[in-house]
Amino acid sequence: MRGDPLANLHHVLRWTRTVYTVADLADPFAFAAEGTPSCTAFHAVVNGNCYLDMSDGSPIALKPGHFVLLPRGGKADHVSTPGAGQTGMNAPRIEKVRDNLFLMRNGEGGDRTVIVSCAVQFEHPAAQRLVQLMAPVIHLEASHSEYADCISRTLKLISTLAGDLGHGDDILMMHLADALLNKMIHTSILRSPKVQSGWLAKIEDRQIGIAVGLMHD
């Protein structure tokens, strides 16, 4: 519907470029999840436990079903122990599955942690303005969502597919990651006071919403 704000929001938040990484790591580990200012980064923990070590804040403890969204990108390290540097850690081996899909492993042994990450670039100019209104780091837990069970099952399926990629499984895995990212972005936007009182309030206006819909058409 042209006047539906969430439908218009979906149009604005379409992305053109996505890079996916699935990290299956044995403790101890530490690797940099570099991001660029033009990309929105998303990290989901499927199995195990880790910390997201930000250069300008306290480490964020992550468990299965935890999501971190970095709307404006930025440097972040995934570490098994808070404050751990890269020195002395087993360097992960990176396997290129597709031009935009990479698997990362650091050997056998130790408790294992599986992290699904992706970085996206939005095609709509308004999306860049929108992410500027969002908090720089957004930490959500699947258990706090009304879709907790569905999200948990989706994460388990992604983990299973990544562990033994068969014919076409990589495509399915990327679509599942897209669905999780889309849901997290929408949830983050709808919970943001700045967005609610600003940009989203405009497209919720019936006449503006219709105008946005006509432009998309």
Side-chain angles (χ1 to χ4, degrees), residues 34-42 54 56 69-75 119-120 122 127-138 192 194-195:
E34 297 279 355
T36 63
S38 62
C39 289
T40 292
F42 164 75
M54 309 292 292
D56 56 353
L69 183 68
L70 306 177
R72 297 185 286 281
K75 184 179 182 299
V120 303
F122 294 108
Q128 292 300 319
R129 171 59 181 159
L130 181 58
V131 299
Q132 293 301 318
L133 296 174
M134 299 171 69
V137 180
I138 299 169
S192 170
K194 286 186 178 180
V195 177

Side-chain angles (χ1 to χ4, degrees), residues 16-157:
T16 55
R17 183 174 181 270
T18 312
V19 177
Y20 307 85
T21 303
V22 178
D24 183 353
L25 305 170
D27 291 344
F29 63 84
F31 74 93
E34 297 279 355
T36 63
S38 62
C39 289
T40 292
F42 164 75
H43 307 282
V45 177
V46 181
N47 293 318
N49 302 277
C50 71
Y51 293 83
L52 190 67
D53 208 345
M54 309 292 292
S55 58
D56 56 353
S58 300
I60 301 173
L62 301 176
K63 298 179 180 180
H66 283 214
F67 303 86
V68 173
L69 183 68
L70 306 177
R72 297 185 286 281
K75 184 179 182 299
D77 294 333
H78 288 291
V79 298
S80 53
T81 304
Q86 307 253 348
T87 305
M89 300 294 180
N90 293 327
R93 174 175 55 86
I94 300 176
E95 175 188 350
K96 181 178 179 181
V97 180
R98 289 180 177 269
D99 287 341
N100 64 336
L101 173 60
F102 300 86
L103 300 182
M104 181 183 298
R105 297 184 176 91
N106 68 342
E108 302 297 331
D111 295 331
R112 305 201 69 81
T113 297
V114 178
I115 306 166
V116 177
S117 303
C118 56
V120 303
Q121 288 183 323
F122 294 108
E123 65 177 6
H124 200 295
Q128 292 300 319
R129 171 59 181 159
L130 181 58
V131 299
Q132 293 301 318
L133 296 174
M134 299 171 69
V137 180
I138 299 169
H139 180 197
L140 297 177
E141 298 180 33
S143 59
H144 295 168
S145 169
E146 59 184 309
Y147 304 103
D149 186 58
C150 292
I151 293 173
S152 176
R153 291 174 183 272
T154 301
L155 287 171
K156 288 180 181 178
L157 180 54

